[in-house]
Amino acid sequence: MNRSIVFATNNAHKLEEIRQIMPNNLEVLSLKDIGCDVDIPETGTTLEENALIKAQYVLEHYGLACFADDTGLEVAALNNEPGVYSARYAGGVGHDSEANMAKLLAKLADNTHREARFRTVIALVAPKENTLGITQPLLFEGVVTGNIATQKQGNEGFGYDPLFVPDGYDKTFAELGANIKNQISHRARAVGKLVDYLKR
């Protein structure tokens, strides 16, 4: 019997990434799939809070098991900016990746300390009666460390991928492509922990 779970996103890139990693017997639904067209406000000050806000919203309004993620790029030389504000770093509405990357490069300028990490936190919630064995909200974290390149490189991926060079590689996420990124990324690591839990 196929079980289903909602991933609280309408980001097609994220959805595709997650569906490739999830077990085959678990159907992953998007917000659009359940008829939710609300842009759930991310009012938390931490990744953990934002992930929980999104997951709890779906549980409260639709009564469905749900997981949500929030991801931040934390640059050591910038006191872990942009962090929880990664998607809105350059201000304005929406997620303007080009403007965000331009701001990050400008703030780092010729700084030689370019250590950074991507961190994803996933929150998982479910109704009282559920087949997933969930009795309280659960959090799963994935981290990948690396460095910020001095200029954009590569065309794949999304967000800050053209700037982030993971440790052990000499190419950005955007150059490495989805197959490699999905094996080593922060989101892959957090989802891996989520999948391990669901498989149990």
Side-chain angles (χ1 to χ4, degrees), residues 43-172:
T43 53
T45 56
T46 65
L47 300 178
E48 290 80 359
E49 286 176 8
N50 277 343
L52 268 170
I53 287 168
K54 289 186 280 189
Q56 294 278 19
Y57 181 93
V58 171
L59 177 60
E60 286 167 17
H61 290 81
Y62 296 88
L64 300 168
C66 176
F67 67 94
D69 78 319
D70 200 23
T71 294
L73 174 64
E74 300 174 342
V75 182
L78 302 178
N79 294 320
N80 286 337
E81 278 187 23
V84 73
Y85 305 108
S86 292
R88 307 178 295 280
Y89 192 40
V93 292
H95 302 191
D96 187 340
S97 296
E98 293 299 324
N100 290 338
M101 285 189 284
K103 179 174 180 179
L104 181 62
L105 287 175
K107 287 198 88 165
L108 275 174
D110 51 7
N111 193 326
T112 54
H113 297 287
R114 305 181 81 85
E115 299 83 9
R117 67 178 190 166
F118 263 124
R119 198 160 68 88
T120 289
V121 175
I122 291 175
L124 173 65
V125 299
K128 279 196 171 68
E129 304 296 321
N130 68 80
T131 58
L132 301 168
I134 302 163
T135 57
Q136 62 189 34
L138 298 171
L139 293 172
F140 306 90
E141 183 188 62
V143 175
V144 61
T145 56
N147 284 276
I148 301 300
T150 53
Q151 60 186 41
K152 292 191 303 174
Q153 296 164 38
N155 303 312
E156 292 208 37
F158 58 99
Y160 295 90
D161 286 357
L163 289 181
F164 186 81
V165 181
D167 286 343
Y169 293 82
D170 58 3
K171 291 185 166 72
T172 67

